[in-house]
Amino acid sequence: MKEFAAWALDTALARGATYAEVRVLDTRQRYLSTKNGQCSQVRESQSLGLGVRVIAGGAWGFASTDNLTRANIDRTAALAVEIARASALAKKHDVRLAPEEKIVDRWAAPCRIDPFSIPISSCLELMLKVDGELRKVQGVTLAETSMDFRRVEQLFLSSLGSEIYQLKTQTGAGYVATSFAGNEIQRRSYPNSFGGQYQTKGYELVGELNLLENARRIAEEAVALHKCDQCPAGVKDIILDSSQLGLQIHESIGHPIELDRVLGSEANFAGMSFLTLDKLGTLKYASDIVNVVADATPAHGPGLGTFAYDDEGVPAQCTPIIKDGRFVGYLTSRETAPAVGRKQSSGAMRAESWNRIPLIRMTNVSMRPGTWKPEDLIADTDDGIYLETNRSWSIDDRRYNFQFGTEIGWEIRGGKKTRMLKNPSYGGISTDFWNSCDAICGPEYWTLWGTPNCGKGQPMQTMGTGHGASPARFRKVQVGVAYPG
Amino acid sequence: MMLTRQRADEIFEKVLKYSTADETEVMISSSAHALTRFANNTIHQNVAEEAESLSVRLVSEGRMARASTNKFDEASIRQLCEDALALARLRPPDPDLLPMPGPQTYRAVNRFFNETAQLTPQTRAETVAQVVARAEQDHLTAAGAFSSGSSAYALLNSRGMQTFHEETMAEFSVTVMSDTSSGWAKKTAPYWMELEPLELAERAVRKALASREPHEITPGWYTVILEPAAMLDLLGFMVLDFSGLAVHEQRSCFTGRLGQKVLGENINFRDDVFHPLQSGAPFDGEGIPRQRVPIVEKGEVKNLVYARQTAHKVGAQPTGHGFPLPNEMGEAPINIVMDGDRATVEDMIRTTERGLLVTRFWYIREVDPYRKILTGMTRDGTFWIEDGQVRHGVRNLRFNQSLVDMLGQVEMMSPPQRTAGEESFEMVVPAVKVREFNFASATRY
């Protein structure tokens, strides 16, 4: 790896780059799935390549290749410089970067059980047991399970003299029971929808999830949804389970705080942000009890946004985002940090792979736990709905008007969880919503969820992000909004 | 170096040398793409990528597995074959697995243009500079992307099936913004000169200017005119429902509705990879030739598409729409052509007493899989129409609308055109005028 990276760096500098960085990545991925009692997918992939990002003529250029001969690496580095000089044809000013230290380090994310060392027959045995448990419930028409393992080995070299090696292992697992009856399709997923739970750790995650123990309940709920009442429309208090709250944080806090959006870099595709620069330090984003951080440090936990250094070679940090309800911080890069008066990047530049440039991405954007117990929260709620497991999510291009649907809801009446509700949904305006938060459950109910599929950039990049949350209550929220009257 | 037929054959021979499986399928892909991105009237990202991958699907005693790599040396290919076989042997056999297909006959398509493959970063940058200059002329801010590239793809198996496809693709999209509004336009084409970036910029500028100081309107049920990009991005949420496997597994919104007139009498669409405005390979993920399939005729779902495996399972004929094996989804039509009519968007506006004109939608998601209720926001140019004229821009709105119901309420259509959006792959679709479209809430800009 080091030889490849050094060739590219030398060539880029020799061709006139004033700054250059090279990332070499070797990624291995294994995906297993089952469907209705049969093994569905068994596939594995490996990808090794190199990307060179440079500044030349005061502008950015990037080129990447997976043909790692000396001649081709030289050609790729030279192309990056040529592209940068073409960028300079339409530049308004020279790119300037916040200063950064030279770093030489190696880091490996904790991984107790290498998932690639587990025979796939053992994985499939567990998955087919879960599948069997789901299909024991009459009315389940489709049972699907999956496991997803990834190991990423990365070397970063820059013209600052940095040389950073990082090794990360990620594990994901989950399942879904689908039930079709009459004129309705209902689904229940565990432990989360859209692939389950993902973390930066080894196969030990699978053991922690209690997959088999929850299968029967999930299947029964999927079938029971057909017979329960539709979520009513109106204004109610809502309690979000921690996985749904994790996605709410992702969409209505995590994306708006990306400073590249705020500055217009994503205007043509992912959109901009309502968090214009004047709001830093002044906006009452949320109620006083809400505290949110963007924390990439390993101390925060094994999130999909955990690392030691970002893809610009900046150390992982814990950045306060919302402090006692006030908006206090953006996610930044070396190029954008000075725009908000920061001397150093917040270390949030991440690239999907060797063939993509780093962009400002969420790390682990998490809400600090409160002190409530879920049972006390329900007992304290007179007229509300408990919402569990995301089914749909949508938010406008400035991250202001949102709408979510969940797989299942429960009516709360007079402090008691009563009837099951199907097709629940709620919507609102980001700041109104976060200012209505009046109770957050304690650290023992806090989970660091993984969102493996966050899309941004052109060409599109998919990134994993982490979101720690415990159940929380929001007052007077519009519910039942997704179903036209 | 882009993949050629000859190089594909050589790689295939190497794989066969090391594969001891009963059956072997090799998929080789190669691509070279570049993209110039601009925002705030300047180029801020400018990238190029070349990549090649080799994917092997092996079947041994009814057990199938896939392994992929981007290393092509002898040792890596040997390791790939060993890994795939080891994976296959550790899984249970699949009783429904069919033998791999034998040799097939394909109708040729020509979608490769050297001018696109060889487009330089200088040309892209100069084009961007012209687009930016047009925006600045009206004191507006432009952002966008200009990409170009080529790809090649070969599929071969040990039963004698072998096929090869190469094509080029270029894309230009532009968003132009004032302090209170924005406009957008986008096009994709195998031949880059068809993009007409300056024409797209002009369109985006006009929309941004016309929607300045948008008014707030009360959410509710309105007549809407959906420009082709808005229509496309909604329709993209229905393509997986036309899968034979999805209906068989009761996860399609057409489960139990085949043979019924569920859409409007004026709704017809087909899948047609050979349509002159379409792109893509004329074969599917197993190498089966794609067929033209009339899917919806006069509002009735007449035919579904079928991969070989699905067709065998349900007693139908394969249509050449399967995804590479193994997969969970089965198949989908990915070259949709929706019939239109002769109306223009101007005709639709002129005949509208009160309604909305929508440039495009954003962040569309499925709310209800069977009723096919979708939610999403308008973006980059939404206009109020009154007494047959566009009056002013409006603040963006959220919709919650059943796509099935909407396709029963189409009153007028334009001729279909190749259309690019952000939520769906390209299709050939018309602009449409729809009655009673449900907007549920408004945002504050």
PDB file of all heavy atoms in Angstrom, chain A residues 33 35 48 65 72 92 263 266 268-269 393-394 432 483, chain B residues 37 40 50 70 136 173 175 249 328 363 365 368 379 443-444:
ATOM      1  N   SER A  33     -27.984 -13.681   2.782  1.00  0.00           N
ATOM      2  CA  SER A  33     -29.404 -13.434   3.024  1.00  0.00           C
ATOM      3  C   SER A  33     -30.206 -14.703   2.829  1.00  0.00           C
ATOM      4  O   SER A  33     -29.773 -15.635   2.137  1.00  0.00           O
ATOM      5  CB  SER A  33     -29.929 -12.326   2.090  1.00  0.00           C
ATOM      6  OG  SER A  33     -29.909 -12.766   0.757  1.00  0.00           O
ATOM      7  N   LYS A  35     -34.485 -16.105   2.343  1.00  0.00           N
ATOM      8  CA  LYS A  35     -35.861 -15.688   2.040  1.00  0.00           C
ATOM      9  C   LYS A  35     -36.760 -16.910   2.086  1.00  0.00           C
ATOM     10  O   LYS A  35     -36.483 -17.903   1.397  1.00  0.00           O
ATOM     11  CB  LYS A  35     -35.902 -15.025   0.660  1.00  0.00           C
ATOM     12  CG  LYS A  35     -37.245 -14.424   0.329  1.00  0.00           C
ATOM     13  CD  LYS A  35     -37.167 -13.404  -0.799  1.00  0.00           C
ATOM     14  CE  LYS A  35     -37.045 -14.041  -2.142  1.00  0.00           C
ATOM     15  NZ  LYS A  35     -37.195 -13.087  -3.242  1.00  0.00           N
ATOM     16  N   LEU A  48      -9.556  -3.120  -4.316  1.00  0.00           N
ATOM     17  CA  LEU A  48      -8.325  -2.417  -3.941  1.00  0.00           C
ATOM     18  C   LEU A  48      -8.096  -1.309  -4.965  1.00  0.00           C
ATOM     19  O   LEU A  48      -8.141  -1.557  -6.169  1.00  0.00           O
ATOM     20  CB  LEU A  48      -7.141  -3.393  -3.966  1.00  0.00           C
ATOM     21  CG  LEU A  48      -5.737  -2.793  -3.811  1.00  0.00           C
ATOM     22  CD1 LEU A  48      -5.536  -2.206  -2.414  1.00  0.00           C
ATOM     23  CD2 LEU A  48      -4.665  -3.853  -4.080  1.00  0.00           C
ATOM     24  N   THR A  65      -7.857   5.136  -9.559  1.00  0.00           N
ATOM     25  CA  THR A  65      -7.676   3.958 -10.409  1.00  0.00           C
ATOM     26  C   THR A  65      -7.562   2.701  -9.553  1.00  0.00           C
ATOM     27  O   THR A  65      -7.186   2.768  -8.372  1.00  0.00           O
ATOM     28  CB  THR A  65      -6.412   4.094 -11.281  1.00  0.00           C
ATOM     29  OG1 THR A  65      -6.331   2.974 -12.168  1.00  0.00           O
ATOM     30  CG2 THR A  65      -5.138   4.124 -10.425  1.00  0.00           C
ATOM     31  N   ASN A  72       0.638   3.354 -14.374  1.00  0.00           N
ATOM     32  CA  ASN A  72      -0.740   3.834 -14.295  1.00  0.00           C
ATOM     33  C   ASN A  72      -0.961   4.736 -13.086  1.00  0.00           C
ATOM     34  O   ASN A  72      -1.742   5.679 -13.150  1.00  0.00           O
ATOM     35  CB  ASN A  72      -1.713   2.652 -14.269  1.00  0.00           C
ATOM     36  CG  ASN A  72      -3.098   3.095 -14.692  1.00  0.00           C
ATOM     37  OD1 ASN A  72      -3.274   3.648 -15.787  1.00  0.00           O
ATOM     38  ND2 ASN A  72      -4.066   2.937 -13.810  1.00  0.00           N
ATOM     39  N   LYS A  92     -13.102  31.234  -8.767  1.00  0.00           N
ATOM     40  CA  LYS A  92     -13.320  32.616  -8.333  1.00  0.00           C
ATOM     41  C   LYS A  92     -12.208  33.061  -7.386  1.00  0.00           C
ATOM     42  O   LYS A  92     -11.944  34.231  -7.232  1.00  0.00           O
ATOM     43  CB  LYS A  92     -14.664  32.741  -7.610  1.00  0.00           C
ATOM     44  CG  LYS A  92     -15.864  32.412  -8.482  1.00  0.00           C
ATOM     45  CD  LYS A  92     -16.112  33.469  -9.538  1.00  0.00           C
ATOM     46  CE  LYS A  92     -17.371  33.128 -10.333  1.00  0.00           C
ATOM     47  NZ  LYS A  92     -17.410  33.790 -11.629  1.00  0.00           N
ATOM     48  N   LEU A 263     -23.031  26.267   2.756  1.00  0.00           N
ATOM     49  CA  LEU A 263     -22.301  27.180   1.864  1.00  0.00           C
ATOM     50  C   LEU A 263     -22.665  26.993   0.394  1.00  0.00           C
ATOM     51  O   LEU A 263     -22.123  27.668  -0.472  1.00  0.00           O
ATOM     52  CB  LEU A 263     -20.792  26.992   2.070  1.00  0.00           C
ATOM     53  CG  LEU A 263     -20.290  27.312   3.489  1.00  0.00           C
ATOM     54  CD1 LEU A 263     -18.797  26.997   3.615  1.00  0.00           C
ATOM     55  CD2 LEU A 263     -20.554  28.772   3.853  1.00  0.00           C
ATOM     56  N   GLU A 266     -23.701  21.730  -2.235  1.00  0.00           N
ATOM     57  CA  GLU A 266     -24.583  20.626  -2.622  1.00  0.00           C
ATOM     58  C   GLU A 266     -25.896  21.135  -3.217  1.00  0.00           C
ATOM     59  O   GLU A 266     -26.858  20.373  -3.310  1.00  0.00           O
ATOM     60  CB  GLU A 266     -24.873  19.753  -1.394  1.00  0.00           C
ATOM     61  CG  GLU A 266     -23.656  19.041  -0.825  1.00  0.00           C
ATOM     62  CD  GLU A 266     -23.171  17.916  -1.726  1.00  0.00           C
ATOM     63  OE1 GLU A 266     -24.009  17.295  -2.401  1.00  0.00           O
ATOM     64  OE2 GLU A 266     -21.950  17.698  -1.778  1.00  0.00           O
ATOM     65  N   ASN A 268     -27.102  21.739  -6.050  1.00  0.00           N
ATOM     66  CA  ASN A 268     -27.711  21.124  -7.232  1.00  0.00           C
ATOM     67  C   ASN A 268     -28.271  19.740  -6.956  1.00  0.00           C
ATOM     68  O   ASN A 268     -29.067  19.233  -7.733  1.00  0.00           O
ATOM     69  CB  ASN A 268     -26.682  21.031  -8.351  1.00  0.00           C
ATOM     70  CG  ASN A 268     -27.238  20.409  -9.613  1.00  0.00           C
ATOM     71  OD1 ASN A 268     -28.216  20.884 -10.159  1.00  0.00           O
ATOM     72  ND2 ASN A 268     -26.624  19.322 -10.062  1.00  0.00           N
ATOM     73  N   PHE A 269     -27.844  19.106  -5.871  1.00  0.00           N
ATOM     74  CA  PHE A 269     -28.271  17.718  -5.671  1.00  0.00           C
ATOM     75  C   PHE A 269     -28.879  17.503  -4.288  1.00  0.00           C
ATOM     76  O   PHE A 269     -30.087  17.515  -4.134  1.00  0.00           O
ATOM     77  CB  PHE A 269     -27.086  16.777  -5.916  1.00  0.00           C
ATOM     78  CG  PHE A 269     -27.432  15.332  -5.781  1.00  0.00           C
ATOM     79  CD1 PHE A 269     -28.401  14.765  -6.591  1.00  0.00           C
ATOM     80  CD2 PHE A 269     -26.812  14.533  -4.834  1.00  0.00           C
ATOM     81  CE1 PHE A 269     -28.752  13.427  -6.456  1.00  0.00           C
ATOM     82  CE2 PHE A 269     -27.144  13.202  -4.693  1.00  0.00           C
ATOM     83  CZ  PHE A 269     -28.120  12.647  -5.504  1.00  0.00           C
ATOM     84  N   TRP A 393     -39.391   8.029   5.261  1.00  0.00           N
ATOM     85  CA  TRP A 393     -38.784   9.263   5.744  1.00  0.00           C
ATOM     86  C   TRP A 393     -38.600  10.201   4.567  1.00  0.00           C
ATOM     87  O   TRP A 393     -38.259   9.768   3.461  1.00  0.00           O
ATOM     88  CB  TRP A 393     -37.439   8.974   6.430  1.00  0.00           C
ATOM     89  CG  TRP A 393     -36.360   8.507   5.503  1.00  0.00           C
ATOM     90  CD1 TRP A 393     -35.309   9.232   5.026  1.00  0.00           C
ATOM     91  CD2 TRP A 393     -36.204   7.199   4.911  1.00  0.00           C
ATOM     92  NE1 TRP A 393     -34.515   8.472   4.199  1.00  0.00           N
ATOM     93  CE2 TRP A 393     -35.043   7.230   4.114  1.00  0.00           C
ATOM     94  CE3 TRP A 393     -36.944   6.015   4.985  1.00  0.00           C
ATOM     95  CZ2 TRP A 393     -34.605   6.107   3.392  1.00  0.00           C
ATOM     96  CZ3 TRP A 393     -36.504   4.902   4.261  1.00  0.00           C
ATOM     97  CH2 TRP A 393     -35.353   4.967   3.492  1.00  0.00           C
ATOM     98  N   SER A 394     -38.878  11.476   4.795  1.00  0.00           N
ATOM     99  CA  SER A 394     -38.735  12.459   3.719  1.00  0.00           C
ATOM    100  C   SER A 394     -38.583  13.836   4.352  1.00  0.00           C
ATOM    101  O   SER A 394     -39.240  14.150   5.348  1.00  0.00           O
ATOM    102  CB  SER A 394     -39.975  12.428   2.821  1.00  0.00           C
ATOM    103  OG  SER A 394     -39.927  13.475   1.873  1.00  0.00           O
ATOM    104  N   ASP A 432     -39.415  23.626  15.217  1.00  0.00           N
ATOM    105  CA  ASP A 432     -40.623  23.524  16.052  1.00  0.00           C
ATOM    106  C   ASP A 432     -40.619  22.179  16.778  1.00  0.00           C
ATOM    107  O   ASP A 432     -40.928  22.088  17.968  1.00  0.00           O
ATOM    108  CB  ASP A 432     -41.898  23.611  15.197  1.00  0.00           C
ATOM    109  CG  ASP A 432     -42.058  24.959  14.523  1.00  0.00           C
ATOM    110  OD1 ASP A 432     -41.275  25.877  14.839  1.00  0.00           O
ATOM    111  OD2 ASP A 432     -42.953  25.079  13.670  1.00  0.00           O
ATOM    112  N   TYR A 483     -51.673   9.964   5.394  1.00  0.00           N
ATOM    113  CA  TYR A 483     -52.813   9.352   4.713  1.00  0.00           C
ATOM    114  C   TYR A 483     -53.848  10.413   4.356  1.00  0.00           C
ATOM    115  O   TYR A 483     -54.451  11.012   5.243  1.00  0.00           O
ATOM    116  CB  TYR A 483     -53.423   8.243   5.579  1.00  0.00           C
ATOM    117  CG  TYR A 483     -52.621   6.972   5.444  1.00  0.00           C
ATOM    118  CD1 TYR A 483     -51.370   6.858   6.045  1.00  0.00           C
ATOM    119  CD2 TYR A 483     -53.081   5.917   4.665  1.00  0.00           C
ATOM    120  CE1 TYR A 483     -50.604   5.723   5.888  1.00  0.00           C
ATOM    121  CE2 TYR A 483     -52.322   4.769   4.502  1.00  0.00           C
ATOM    122  CZ  TYR A 483     -51.085   4.682   5.115  1.00  0.00           C
ATOM    123  OH  TYR A 483     -50.327   3.551   4.941  1.00  0.00           O
TER     124      TYR A 483
ATOM    125  N   ARG B  37     -18.015  19.405 -11.124  1.00  0.00           N
ATOM    126  CA  ARG B  37     -19.113  19.899 -10.307  1.00  0.00           C
ATOM    127  C   ARG B  37     -18.885  21.371  -9.990  1.00  0.00           C
ATOM    128  O   ARG B  37     -17.751  21.767  -9.690  1.00  0.00           O
ATOM    129  CB  ARG B  37     -19.128  19.095  -9.014  1.00  0.00           C
ATOM    130  CG  ARG B  37     -20.479  18.903  -8.429  1.00  0.00           C
ATOM    131  CD  ARG B  37     -20.426  17.902  -7.317  1.00  0.00           C
ATOM    132  NE  ARG B  37     -21.742  17.790  -6.744  1.00  0.00           N
ATOM    133  CZ  ARG B  37     -21.990  17.575  -5.480  1.00  0.00           C
ATOM    134  NH1 ARG B  37     -20.998  17.411  -4.634  1.00  0.00           N
ATOM    135  NH2 ARG B  37     -23.226  17.491  -5.039  1.00  0.00           N
ATOM    136  N   ASN B  40     -21.861  27.961  -6.391  1.00  0.00           N
ATOM    137  CA  ASN B  40     -21.467  29.356  -6.143  1.00  0.00           C
ATOM    138  C   ASN B  40     -20.705  29.944  -7.330  1.00  0.00           C
ATOM    139  O   ASN B  40     -19.721  30.676  -7.169  1.00  0.00           O
ATOM    140  CB  ASN B  40     -20.634  29.465  -4.864  1.00  0.00           C
ATOM    141  CG  ASN B  40     -21.442  29.084  -3.644  1.00  0.00           C
ATOM    142  OD1 ASN B  40     -22.564  29.547  -3.474  1.00  0.00           O
ATOM    143  ND2 ASN B  40     -20.903  28.216  -2.805  1.00  0.00           N
ATOM    144  N   GLU B  50     -11.328   5.445 -13.029  1.00  0.00           N
ATOM    145  CA  GLU B  50     -11.357   4.273 -13.903  1.00  0.00           C
ATOM    146  C   GLU B  50     -11.394   3.046 -13.017  1.00  0.00           C
ATOM    147  O   GLU B  50     -10.752   3.008 -11.962  1.00  0.00           O
ATOM    148  CB  GLU B  50     -10.150   4.245 -14.844  1.00  0.00           C
ATOM    149  CG  GLU B  50      -8.819   4.212 -14.140  1.00  0.00           C
ATOM    150  CD  GLU B  50      -7.657   4.023 -15.101  1.00  0.00           C
ATOM    151  OE1 GLU B  50      -7.820   4.267 -16.294  1.00  0.00           O
ATOM    152  OE2 GLU B  50      -6.584   3.605 -14.619  1.00  0.00           O
ATOM    153  N   ASN B  70     -11.371  -6.716  -8.006  1.00  0.00           N
ATOM    154  CA  ASN B  70     -10.886  -5.839  -9.078  1.00  0.00           C
ATOM    155  C   ASN B  70      -9.400  -6.089  -9.346  1.00  0.00           C
ATOM    156  O   ASN B  70      -8.726  -5.260  -9.931  1.00  0.00           O
ATOM    157  CB  ASN B  70     -11.163  -4.370  -8.757  1.00  0.00           C
ATOM    158  CG  ASN B  70     -10.421  -3.877  -7.528  1.00  0.00           C
ATOM    159  OD1 ASN B  70      -9.863  -4.652  -6.769  1.00  0.00           O
ATOM    160  ND2 ASN B  70     -10.403  -2.575  -7.338  1.00  0.00           N
ATOM    161  N   GLU B 136     -24.757  34.653 -14.138  1.00  0.00           N
ATOM    162  CA  GLU B 136     -24.273  35.937 -13.601  1.00  0.00           C
ATOM    163  C   GLU B 136     -24.874  37.133 -14.350  1.00  0.00           C
ATOM    164  O   GLU B 136     -25.033  38.215 -13.790  1.00  0.00           O
ATOM    165  CB  GLU B 136     -22.748  35.979 -13.649  1.00  0.00           C
ATOM    166  CG  GLU B 136     -22.112  35.073 -12.574  1.00  0.00           C
ATOM    167  CD  GLU B 136     -20.593  35.040 -12.639  1.00  0.00           C
ATOM    168  OE1 GLU B 136     -20.050  35.282 -13.744  1.00  0.00           O
ATOM    169  OE2 GLU B 136     -19.969  34.761 -11.601  1.00  0.00           O
ATOM    170  N   SER B 173     -26.563  18.759 -15.369  1.00  0.00           N
ATOM    171  CA  SER B 173     -27.673  19.268 -14.561  1.00  0.00           C
ATOM    172  C   SER B 173     -27.274  20.606 -13.981  1.00  0.00           C
ATOM    173  O   SER B 173     -26.099  20.834 -13.664  1.00  0.00           O
ATOM    174  CB  SER B 173     -28.050  18.290 -13.453  1.00  0.00           C
ATOM    175  OG  SER B 173     -27.004  18.144 -12.540  1.00  0.00           O
ATOM    176  N   THR B 175     -28.719  23.954 -11.376  1.00  0.00           N
ATOM    177  CA  THR B 175     -29.651  24.660 -10.502  1.00  0.00           C
ATOM    178  C   THR B 175     -29.221  26.116 -10.488  1.00  0.00           C
ATOM    179  O   THR B 175     -28.041  26.406 -10.260  1.00  0.00           O
ATOM    180  CB  THR B 175     -29.594  24.101  -9.065  1.00  0.00           C
ATOM    181  OG1 THR B 175     -29.883  22.701  -9.105  1.00  0.00           O
ATOM    182  CG2 THR B 175     -30.601  24.808  -8.162  1.00  0.00           C
ATOM    183  N   GLU B 249     -44.678 -13.085  -4.728  1.00  0.00           N
ATOM    184  CA  GLU B 249     -44.388 -13.002  -3.292  1.00  0.00           C
ATOM    185  C   GLU B 249     -45.329 -12.035  -2.558  1.00  0.00           C
ATOM    186  O   GLU B 249     -45.130 -11.745  -1.387  1.00  0.00           O
ATOM    187  CB  GLU B 249     -42.928 -12.594  -3.066  1.00  0.00           C
ATOM    188  CG  GLU B 249     -41.953 -13.677  -3.488  1.00  0.00           C
ATOM    189  CD  GLU B 249     -40.497 -13.279  -3.343  1.00  0.00           C
ATOM    190  OE1 GLU B 249     -40.210 -12.072  -3.198  1.00  0.00           O
ATOM    191  OE2 GLU B 249     -39.644 -14.183  -3.406  1.00  0.00           O
ATOM    192  N   GLU B 328     -32.493 -10.834  -4.411  1.00  0.00           N
ATOM    193  CA  GLU B 328     -33.797 -11.038  -3.774  1.00  0.00           C
ATOM    194  C   GLU B 328     -34.945 -10.488  -4.607  1.00  0.00           C
ATOM    195  O   GLU B 328     -36.079 -10.879  -4.436  1.00  0.00           O
ATOM    196  CB  GLU B 328     -33.859 -10.331  -2.405  1.00  0.00           C
ATOM    197  CG  GLU B 328     -33.185 -11.070  -1.283  1.00  0.00           C
ATOM    198  CD  GLU B 328     -31.796 -10.548  -1.037  1.00  0.00           C
ATOM    199  OE1 GLU B 328     -31.438  -9.537  -1.654  1.00  0.00           O
ATOM    200  OE2 GLU B 328     -31.054 -11.160  -0.262  1.00  0.00           O
ATOM    201  N   TYR B 363     -36.918  14.035  -2.620  1.00  0.00           N
ATOM    202  CA  TYR B 363     -36.991  13.135  -1.462  1.00  0.00           C
ATOM    203  C   TYR B 363     -38.324  12.398  -1.429  1.00  0.00           C
ATOM    204  O   TYR B 363     -39.051  12.422  -0.435  1.00  0.00           O
ATOM    205  CB  TYR B 363     -36.770  13.896  -0.147  1.00  0.00           C
ATOM    206  CG  TYR B 363     -35.868  13.138   0.813  1.00  0.00           C
ATOM    207  CD1 TYR B 363     -34.754  13.719   1.393  1.00  0.00           C
ATOM    208  CD2 TYR B 363     -36.138  11.803   1.124  1.00  0.00           C
ATOM    209  CE1 TYR B 363     -33.929  13.013   2.256  1.00  0.00           C
ATOM    210  CE2 TYR B 363     -35.319  11.093   1.982  1.00  0.00           C
ATOM    211  CZ  TYR B 363     -34.224  11.704   2.545  1.00  0.00           C
ATOM    212  OH  TYR B 363     -33.409  11.002   3.392  1.00  0.00           O
ATOM    213  N   ARG B 365     -40.560   9.255  -1.050  1.00  0.00           N
ATOM    214  CA  ARG B 365     -40.490   7.967  -0.362  1.00  0.00           C
ATOM    215  C   ARG B 365     -41.865   7.318  -0.336  1.00  0.00           C
ATOM    216  O   ARG B 365     -42.883   7.998  -0.333  1.00  0.00           O
ATOM    217  CB  ARG B 365     -39.991   8.123   1.079  1.00  0.00           C
ATOM    218  CG  ARG B 365     -38.528   8.505   1.196  1.00  0.00           C
ATOM    219  CD  ARG B 365     -37.598   7.407   0.694  1.00  0.00           C
ATOM    220  NE  ARG B 365     -36.203   7.764   0.805  1.00  0.00           N
ATOM    221  CZ  ARG B 365     -35.502   8.454  -0.108  1.00  0.00           C
ATOM    222  NH1 ARG B 365     -36.096   8.881  -1.213  1.00  0.00           N
ATOM    223  NH2 ARG B 365     -34.232   8.699   0.083  1.00  0.00           N
ATOM    224  N   ASP B 368     -47.037   3.936   1.718  1.00  0.00           N
ATOM    225  CA  ASP B 368     -47.883   2.746   1.797  1.00  0.00           C
ATOM    226  C   ASP B 368     -47.623   1.894   0.555  1.00  0.00           C
ATOM    227  O   ASP B 368     -47.879   2.342  -0.569  1.00  0.00           O
ATOM    228  CB  ASP B 368     -49.366   3.155   1.861  1.00  0.00           C
ATOM    229  CG  ASP B 368     -50.277   1.969   2.092  1.00  0.00           C
ATOM    230  OD1 ASP B 368     -50.215   1.000   1.296  1.00  0.00           O
ATOM    231  OD2 ASP B 368     -51.052   1.994   3.060  1.00  0.00           O
ATOM    232  N   ARG B 379     -39.686  21.144  -5.640  1.00  0.00           N
ATOM    233  CA  ARG B 379     -38.367  21.783  -5.551  1.00  0.00           C
ATOM    234  C   ARG B 379     -38.037  22.513  -6.853  1.00  0.00           C
ATOM    235  O   ARG B 379     -38.415  22.048  -7.927  1.00  0.00           O
ATOM    236  CB  ARG B 379     -37.314  20.689  -5.272  1.00  0.00           C
ATOM    237  CG  ARG B 379     -35.911  21.222  -5.108  1.00  0.00           C
ATOM    238  CD  ARG B 379     -34.940  20.125  -4.685  1.00  0.00           C
ATOM    239  NE  ARG B 379     -33.580  20.641  -4.729  1.00  0.00           N
ATOM    240  CZ  ARG B 379     -32.497  19.930  -4.482  1.00  0.00           C
ATOM    241  NH1 ARG B 379     -32.596  18.661  -4.149  1.00  0.00           N
ATOM    242  NH2 ARG B 379     -31.307  20.474  -4.546  1.00  0.00           N
ATOM    243  N   THR B 443     -43.679  24.185   3.241  1.00  0.00           N
ATOM    244  CA  THR B 443     -42.498  24.563   3.990  1.00  0.00           C
ATOM    245  C   THR B 443     -42.428  26.083   4.042  1.00  0.00           C
ATOM    246  O   THR B 443     -43.337  26.765   3.572  1.00  0.00           O
ATOM    247  CB  THR B 443     -41.221  23.922   3.417  1.00  0.00           C
ATOM    248  OG1 THR B 443     -40.179  24.069   4.385  1.00  0.00           O
ATOM    249  CG2 THR B 443     -40.820  24.520   2.090  1.00  0.00           C
ATOM    250  N   ARG B 444     -41.353  26.608   4.640  1.00  0.00           N
ATOM    251  CA  ARG B 444     -41.362  28.055   4.882  1.00  0.00           C
ATOM    252  C   ARG B 444     -40.452  28.810   3.919  1.00  0.00           C
ATOM    253  O   ARG B 444     -39.961  29.874   4.249  1.00  0.00           O
ATOM    254  CB  ARG B 444     -40.965  28.322   6.335  1.00  0.00           C
ATOM    255  CG  ARG B 444     -42.010  27.778   7.303  1.00  0.00           C
ATOM    256  CD  ARG B 444     -41.686  28.063   8.742  1.00  0.00           C
ATOM    257  NE  ARG B 444     -42.660  27.418   9.626  1.00  0.00           N
ATOM    258  CZ  ARG B 444     -42.514  27.282  10.939  1.00  0.00           C
ATOM    259  NH1 ARG B 444     -41.441  27.757  11.528  1.00  0.00           N
ATOM    260  NH2 ARG B 444     -43.426  26.673  11.650  1.00  0.00           N
TER     261      ARG B 444
END
